[in-house]
Every structure is written in structure tokens, then in C-alpha cells.
Amino acid sequence: MPANIIFIMSDDHAAAAVSAYDGKINQTPQLDRLAREGVRFDNCFCTNSICTPSRAVILTGLYSHLNGVKTLADKIDGTRPNVAKNLQAAGYQTAIVGKWHLGHGGSHDPTGFDYWNILPGQGEYFDPEMIEMGYTKRYSGYATDIITDKALEWLDERDRTRPFFLMIHHKAPHRPWQPDAKHAHMYEDETIPEPYTFNDDYQNRAAAAKAARMRIDRDLNAQDLKQPIPDGLSQSEEKSWKYQRYIKDYLRCVASIDDNVGRLLDYLDAEALSRDTVVMYTSDQGFFLGEHGWFDKRFMYEESLRMPFMVRYPAEIVPSTVVDAMALNVDFTPTFLDFAQVEIPPSMQGSSLRPLMNGKVPETWQTSMYYRYWMHMDPIHGVYSHYGVRTLQYKLIYYYAQALGTKGSTDDPKPPEWELFDLEKDPWEIRNVFHDPAYADVVKELQQELGRLRTKVQDDE
Ligand code: CA
């Protein structure tokens, strides 16, 4: 029988908050099991680092400009092809439980799924409303537990003669980072270390960095902080206090995901399903955990671009495999089909990662990737629209800084600017070397590569 596939995706979970990724700020023993018993991808990147678009990429195997979901305000068109439909047609039982965030109602409901039970919009952490096959119901409890409960119930009731494809999409650890009672006091007596670029002053960067409204010291609101700011703190003390409030709640939400992934893995063991089930864990994109003084994502900078991605499949993958080759969210879709032994439609833009998991990197494998963030100056975070290319050593970003009619954008063009980072010398991305004559040849090469990639992915806007 073809492999069963469980795809677990959390929302805004940075690799830096997974201990298997050498994260220094927390422990995730259950998630680490996937890396220890399977493969860890160290260079997995998102092609458009924002919730709704990344989900659409994974579902369709197409970049944002071709799947019709460029921004948070766009909705999926369920009448179009998606990977669940391919799997369903091949005899798989298909289900999605948890966060959908691609619109709902009418043609925006999940299609290709035998069973779906989704959070409307962003969903709630406590006593969430969910839409089960079109019917709204409120559950009591904590979202991460409930989503796991519903997934396990579906597994229990499935047809055991057929393989399954199950997407488990957590709301956590998305803003406003509300932990459950069980984890509410974790880290209470600890101080979580601040990242190296915590006090970034955005000097010599494009104007976009300074303009963004996602600063720990300024842009966390009362709902985020959940406690009044203590009196008498200096400016830097207040920033540190806010960071501790933010990061501890974030990590508490992650701890609940970790527990629930453990519940699922235990279930697979108890049901003798572990060997023949591919279990994948990722997040829809990365997140800033205080790097550059920020929370949130959107930028092509490393912390936001990078996705944790770990896969366990004991029937095939050697334990503790580490893959350095570049993987993208657009590659997940053909990977599902490859594991299911279903033909990959030529229209899909990614490539299966399955050979890489077995230590075989094809000679022609990608060594560069194309990124684009479309929402110019969204009213909350104010990040400028940009696109760029990342290679193994460099990153070139072009802030074209215009709305171009995309939803959720502000029609307020800014002067276009470039950034170049030498990731070997400056992994923190604090020295823009675009104007450094020593990098003139690199700039020329990367601009050509950017053009080549734009043609290849068919983005001509
Ligand atoms: Ca997200």
C-alpha cells in the first residue's frame, strides 16, 4: 500500500524555537523525535512569508502569482486543482483539521477533502468555533488540543483498507500567543536570552527595515503583553521586559504543540502505523523572535524566510539524516504525490524532496530560490513589497515598494532600493553590501539570476 501521509503545520513557528534546530531558547522533545528518527532540512524556505499565501502554495504547488493568493486578503478558488484532489482521485482518504485561512463559504471551502473541520479565519485559542463540513460548532477547550483530538478521531474512524492523507494545521503559536493553563507558568523563573540583533539600528539598510512596524519596543500592544508595563523602567529595560512577555507566551504555545505532536506519535505507535506513515512537521513560514528587534514575518530576511521542516518515515528514511540542499514550500506538494506514488502534474512548479531525504541530491537540484512579498505597506505592519533571490551564499532583495493593485496594500509608492547580504560573512543580515564595489560582480550575477528565476516561475509583474 502507498504510504500514509500526515502533514502537521503550525502557524509562525520559527526554526529557532525547535531544539532539533539547535534552538537555544526552548526544548521540543517530541518534535525532535521527528528529526532524530527521520530527516531534518536545514535550508527550507518559504516563497512568500505570510500565512494565507504560503498555505495556498502548499495546497496547489504553484507560486502565489499563479495560484491567485498573493496576499492575506486573497481567498483560494476551490474549483481549481489542488493536491488533495490528486490524492483523493488516487484512492486516498483525505482530511484537513485546524487552520485553513484561505477564506470559507462557497467556493472558498476546502475541496478535495473527504473530511474537513476548520477554524474560521485566524481562529481562537480558547473554546474555538470550527466549521465541520459546512456546519459551525463551538468546542470547549484549547485549540491545539482540540485540533489534535479531531485529527485522532478521524484516524480512528477511517477506512483501514485505504491509505490516508491528513493535514493537521495548528493555530499556535500565532499572535496573540495565548498559552493554555498547563503551560502558563513555564519559564516563569527564567530569562530567555535576547538574540544577537535585538538592538539593530537599521543603519545602512534599505528604508523598509526602519519603516516596518513590528518592533518589540514599540509595536506590541496591550493584548499581546497581557500585563501592564511596570513603572520606572528605562527604555531598554522596558524593551527587555516586553521581549520576555512576548517570547515566554510564544514558547508556551509551542510547548503545547510539542505535547500534541507527541500524542499523535504515540497514537501511531499504538496503532502500529508509525513504520508506514510519513509524518511531516513544518510551519507556514518563519518568525522573528526578537531578531532585528522584531516580531512577525513578511521580510525575506532569514528568520522569516526559513521554515522548520522535519520528516519521519521509518520504512525509507535513515534516522538522523540532515539535508543541506535547498527545499521550498512549493516542493512540498509534489513530495506528497511522490510518497503516494501519484503522478506529479507538470503544471506544478516544485520538485519532490523525497530523493533528498534518502541522501540523493539530483545534480541539477536548485541552488537558488525566488521570493516575493506582495503586500505593500499593509496597514498594520507596513512592510514594503519586495522580491529577491537567495543563493547558498548571498541574498539580493529588491524593494520595488509599490502596491500594484494587490489587496491589503497601501497605494503609497516608495523609492525602490536594493539590499545584498553576504550570508557567510554576515549571517545576521546587518551589513547591506549592495553599494560596496567589492561586490559589484556578485550584484551583476545575482541580478541575472533573479531575472532567470522570475522567467522560470513565470512572474512578469
Ligand atoms: Ca503564519
Side-chain angles (χ1 to χ4, degrees):
M1 196 158 78
N4 302 308
I5 301 165
I6 299 180
F7 178 76
I8 311 166
M9 182 161 70
S10 53
D11 194 338
D12 296 356
H13 189 182
V18 179
S19 43
Y21 278 92
D22 209 18
K24 306 258 188 290
I25 55 174
N26 66 334
Q27 291 300 317
T28 50
Q30 303 300 331
L31 293 174
D32 292 4
R33 274 181 70 186
L34 296 176
R36 198 171 60 242
E37 298 169 9
V39 55
R40 186 187 80 209
F41 282 79
D42 279 1
N43 287 301
C44 183
F45 302 120
C46 187
T47 52
N48 180 357
S49 178
I50 184 98
C51 310
T52 302
S54 179
R55 287 157 200 275
V57 168
I58 292 166
L59 210 55
T60 62
L62 300 173
Y63 283 78
S64 305
H65 56 282
L66 294 189
N67 68 36
V69 183
K70 294 174 184 170
T71 75
L72 270 186
D74 294 314
K75 297 174 179 178
I76 196 109
D77 175 358
T79 65
R80 290 166 63 165
N82 72 46
V83 73
K85 291 182 185 180
N86 297 119
L87 291 166
Q88 199 178 41
Y92 268 71
Q93 298 166 83
T94 55
I96 180 166
V97 180
K99 189 155 178 180
W100 172 247
H101 206 200
L102 290 161
H104 60 82
S107 66
H108 309 307
D109 281 338
T111 51
F113 293 97
D114 301 330
Y115 176 78
W116 51 273
N117 194 353
I118 57 169
L119 297 166
Q122 291 284 7
E124 297 152 296
Y125 274 106
F126 292 103
D127 302 334
E129 225 177 46
M130 291 181 77
I131 309 172
E132 185 183 35
M133 308 289 286
Y135 295 95
T136 302
K137 190 177 164 186
R138 191 173 288 281
Y139 296 93
S140 62
Y142 188 65
T144 310
D145 298 330
I146 292 164
I147 289 165
T148 307
D149 291 344
K150 294 291 139 196
L152 293 178
E153 278 171 26
W154 182 80
L155 281 173
D156 253 346
E157 289 163 14
R158 78 188 193 283
D159 171 0
R160 283 155 204 262
T161 65
R162 291 194 291 145
F164 63 82
F165 173 64
L166 169 61
M167 301 183 102
I168 303 174
H169 290 190
H170 290 295
K171 175 201 170 52
H174 192 279
R175 196 179 186 181
W177 315 295
Q178 293 172 332
D180 62 357
K182 186 179 162 196
H183 301 94
H185 301 287
M186 278 181 94
Y187 311 108
E188 214 156 57
D189 303 320
E190 293 173 49
T191 301
I192 310 291
E194 293 166 359
Y196 180 69
T197 58
F198 189 60
N199 293 308
D200 190 355
D201 57 7
Y202 317 113
Q203 288 301 310
N204 99 30
R205 228 77 51 73
K210 199 168 187 177
R213 292 191 299 271
M214 47 174 77
R215 291 195 207 164
I216 301 279
D217 59 358
R218 184 190 64 191
D219 301 318
L220 287 169
N221 61 35
Q223 192 197 17
D224 298 328
L225 296 171
K226 306 173 191 81
Q227 289 174 18
I229 301 167
D231 291 328
L233 299 182
S234 70
Q235 217 173 1
S236 83
E237 285 167 346
E238 184 177 308
K239 181 176 178 182
S240 292
W241 180 86
K242 286 179 174 176
Y243 179 67
Q244 295 301 318
R245 281 300 311 127
Y246 155 58
I247 195 68
K248 287 180 181 179
D249 279 345
Y250 178 95
L251 295 177
R252 289 160 180 156
C253 292
V254 169
S256 165
I257 291 176
D258 193 63
D259 285 358
N260 276 287
V261 169
R263 282 176 66 203
L264 178 81
L265 296 180
D266 291 347
Y267 175 90
L268 296 179
D269 284 345
E271 295 287 314
L273 282 168
S274 295
R275 190 176 179 279
D276 297 313
T277 302
V278 181
V279 181
M280 305 183 178
Y281 183 84
T282 192
S283 164
D284 57 348
Q285 20 49 219
F287 212 67
F288 294 105
L289 302 179
E291 297 91 351
H292 303 288
W294 288 335
F295 61 94
D296 213 70
K297 56 258 182 180
R298 297 159 197 270
F299 275 99
M300 196 189 167
Y301 293 152
E302 287 295 274
E303 296 83 1
S304 151
L305 184 71
R306 186 178 295 280
M307 306 165 83
F309 185 50
M310 299 175 285
V311 183
R312 187 186 77 170
Y313 183 36
E316 188 172 301
I317 298 170
V318 176
S320 296
T321 300
V322 176
V323 174
D324 285 329
M326 209 178 257
L328 307 177
N329 59 346
V330 74
D331 297 324
F332 293 175
T333 331
T335 306
F336 301 147
L337 296 175
D338 198 359
F339 276 119
Q341 298 166 25
V342 174
E343 197 182 337
I344 299 164
S347 56
M348 282 188 184
Q349 293 182 290
S351 301
S352 171
L353 302 168
R354 189 176 180 182
L356 280 66
M357 298 177 194
N358 296 300
K360 297 184 193 77
V361 182
E363 239 171 68
T364 54
W365 191 256
Q366 61 202 354
T367 53
S368 64
M369 57 90 56
Y370 177 63
Y371 179 87
R372 184 160 184 176
Y373 174 73
W374 294 79
M375 295 175 74
H376 181 59
M377 296 178 69
D378 83 278
I380 300 170
H381 306 85
V383 175
Y384 295 179
S385 53
H386 57 288
Y387 56 73
V389 53
R390 189 200 192 281
T391 64
L392 303 176
Q393 188 179 350
Y394 298 105
K395 185 183 294 174
L396 179 74
I397 307 176
Y398 177 57
Y399 297 92
Y400 61 96
Q402 296 179 58
L404 301 179
T406 51
K407 288 182 186 165
S409 298
T410 308
D411 191 12
D412 180 9
K414 300 291 179 191
E417 279 187 274
W418 293 89
E419 282 179 337
L420 173 69
F421 298 105
D422 182 338
L423 300 172
E424 257 168 36
K425 291 187 180 149
D426 174 30
W428 308 280
E429 298 168 305
I430 46 178
R431 285 199 311 274
N432 172 20
V433 291
F434 182 81
H435 301 288
D436 182 340
Y439 285 91
D441 289 346
V442 175
V443 165
K444 204 185 287 175
E445 258 172 54
L446 287 176
Q447 284 177 330
Q448 274 169 12
E449 181 60 8
L450 182 57
R452 187 189 73 82
L453 287 174
R454 279 172 58 76
T455 303
K456 184 183 164 215
V457 307
Q458 300 164 51
D459 184 5
D460 53 14
E461 214 174 317

